[in-house]
């Protein structure tokens, strides 16, 4: 995958460059200290992935991300945690907070590599059928019977959704809104623009995040009041 780094801090660019050099699937083609220069470069040099800072002089990373080509993926790299929810609005693959550890970086890149393969193959996989307690999902030229109770959460990225199970991820071509409309409302809840969670698998939560197994999922501002009303009311009834 061809990639670029956009960050106004020289030390940060060098750090990400070092991480990129350790991933054989990545080819770093250029680095930029501002979004305007990166945007001009993309006009004649399409890339697959951008490692993008959020807080930069002039055009911010979020603003820049709204105007990149559809098939170009983004991994945000920033020192600020408070922009994580904004990253969902631009379909970012991941949101990495500096200083970035290699294993966390590698995990984000693996995710991007998988999504890139989907975007380039363009296979017409989708949800084939919905029954009372399961989905029939077409993925990788196979059909998977996925019980509702086995889904931890569902993540959306562009025109695809990822069904996260206990020990498996199933990726299929469908947008998050469409699959949300087919799920039982007593079990599933849309927690932000990019995620639907299975409330029965919630281990804990606070005012900002929901924790499911080892996964931390941000609660979107638009969905926060409805989440607390729905989930707390549900659990009070079970007491």
């Amino acid at each position: 995958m061809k990639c670029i780094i956009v960050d106004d801090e020289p030390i940060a660019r060098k750090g990400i460059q070092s991480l990129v050099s350790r991933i054989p699937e990545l080819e770093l083609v250029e680095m930029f200290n501002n979004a305007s220069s990166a945007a001009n470069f993309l006009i004649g040099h399409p890339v697959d992935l951008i490692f993008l800072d959020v807080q930069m002089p002039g055009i911010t990373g979020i603003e820049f991300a709204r105007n990149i080509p559809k098939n170009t993926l983004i991994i945000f790299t920033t020192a600020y945690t408070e922009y994580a929810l904004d990253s969902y609005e631009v379909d970012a693959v991941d949101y990495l907070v500096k200083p970035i550890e290699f294993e966390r970086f590698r995990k984000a890149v693996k995710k991007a590599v998988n999504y890139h393969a989907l975007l380039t193959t363009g296979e017409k996989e989708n949800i084939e059928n919905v029954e009372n307690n399961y989905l029939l999902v077409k993925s990788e030229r196979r059909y998977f019977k996925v019980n509702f109770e086995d889904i931890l959460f569902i993540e959306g990225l562009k025109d695809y959704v990822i069904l996260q199970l206990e020990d498996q991820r199933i990726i299929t071509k469908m947008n998050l809104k469409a699959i949300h409309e087919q799920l039982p409302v007593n079990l599933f809840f849309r927690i932000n623009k990019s995620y639907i969670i299975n409330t029965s698998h919630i281990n804990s939560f606070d005012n900002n995040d929901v924790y499911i197994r080892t996964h931390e999922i941000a609660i979107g501002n638009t969905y926060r009041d409805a989440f607390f009303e729905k989930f707390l009311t549900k659990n009070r009834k079970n007491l």
Side-chain angles (χ1 to χ4, degrees):
M1 292 177 64
K2 292 184 177 181
C3 65
I4 62 174
I5 296 168
V6 186
D7 197 308
D8 64 317
E9 298 178 0
I11 294 177
R13 290 198 300 274
K14 285 291 185 182
I16 298 169
Q17 180 184 24
S18 176
L19 292 170
V20 168
S21 69
R22 299 172 64 181
I23 307 289
E25 292 92 343
L26 296 180
E27 176 191 350
L28 180 63
V29 295
E30 192 58 84
M31 297 192 293
F32 302 93
N33 63 7
N34 64 82
S36 296
S37 297
N40 290 333
F41 177 82
L42 290 178
I43 293 172
H45 307 84
V47 300
D48 305 307
L49 177 63
I50 303 173
F51 294 98
L52 181 61
D53 190 17
V54 175
Q55 284 281 48
M56 294 182 290
I59 302 172
T60 69
I62 299 293
E63 293 169 337
F64 173 60
R66 291 193 176 103
N67 297 291
I68 64 166
K70 182 179 180 181
N71 286 351
T72 301
L73 302 174
I74 295 172
I75 295 176
F76 281 109
T77 56
T78 177
Y80 302 92
T81 59
E82 60 264 34
Y83 296 102
L85 282 174
D86 293 325
S87 72
Y88 296 141
E89 298 296 323
V90 292
D91 289 326
V93 171
D94 214 330
Y95 188 93
L96 304 179
V97 179
K98 303 170 186 174
I100 304 168
E101 296 181 357
F102 176 70
E103 282 305 312
R104 181 68 181 87
F105 183 83
R106 186 183 63 80
K107 182 179 179 181
V109 170
K110 182 179 179 181
K111 197 173 174 183
V113 169
N114 290 337
Y115 293 163
H116 174 66
L118 284 173
L119 293 172
T120 53
T121 58
E123 293 185 18
K124 302 301 181 182
E125 302 171 338
N126 52 30
I127 305 296
E128 292 288 329
N129 194 23
V130 182
E131 298 295 339
N132 290 334
N133 57 359
Y134 70 88
L135 298 170
L136 191 61
V137 183
K138 186 181 179 184
S139 179
E140 299 177 354
R141 301 175 184 176
R142 297 168 58 191
Y143 290 90
F144 294 85
K145 180 183 177 183
V146 182
N147 295 322
F148 289 140
E149 63 184 22
D150 294 333
I151 301 172
L152 301 182
F153 58 83
I154 302 170
E155 179 184 357
L157 179 72
K158 299 184 185 292
D159 296 325
Y160 289 85
V161 294
I162 302 93
L163 282 68
Q164 179 68 57
L165 311 182
E166 186 71 45
D167 55 1
Q168 184 182 15
R169 288 158 54 89
I170 299 174
I171 304 173
T172 192
K173 188 175 179 63
M174 191 178 205
N175 65 56
L176 200 66
K177 181 178 183 295
I179 193 172
H180 188 214
E181 292 172 349
Q182 301 186 56
L183 297 171
V185 296
N186 64 316
L187 196 59
F188 291 92
F189 184 84
R190 188 163 184 176
I191 202 73
N192 61 48
K193 184 179 182 292
S194 298
Y195 282 84
I196 298 167
I197 61 169
N198 185 331
T199 58
S200 69
H201 287 296
I202 293 175
N203 297 114
S204 62
F205 61 89
D206 54 31
N207 193 50
N208 299 308
D209 301 288
V210 166
Y211 301 87
I212 298 177
R213 303 294 191 272
T214 59
H215 306 277
E216 178 180 339
I217 304 171
I219 304 171
N221 293 329
T222 305
Y223 306 88
R224 181 173 284 110
D225 289 345
F227 168 74
F228 283 109
E229 180 180 354
K230 176 184 176 68
F231 193 74
L232 292 177
T233 300
K234 173 184 175 182
N235 280 272
R236 287 194 189 103
K237 291 179 179 179
N238 293 329
L239 292 177

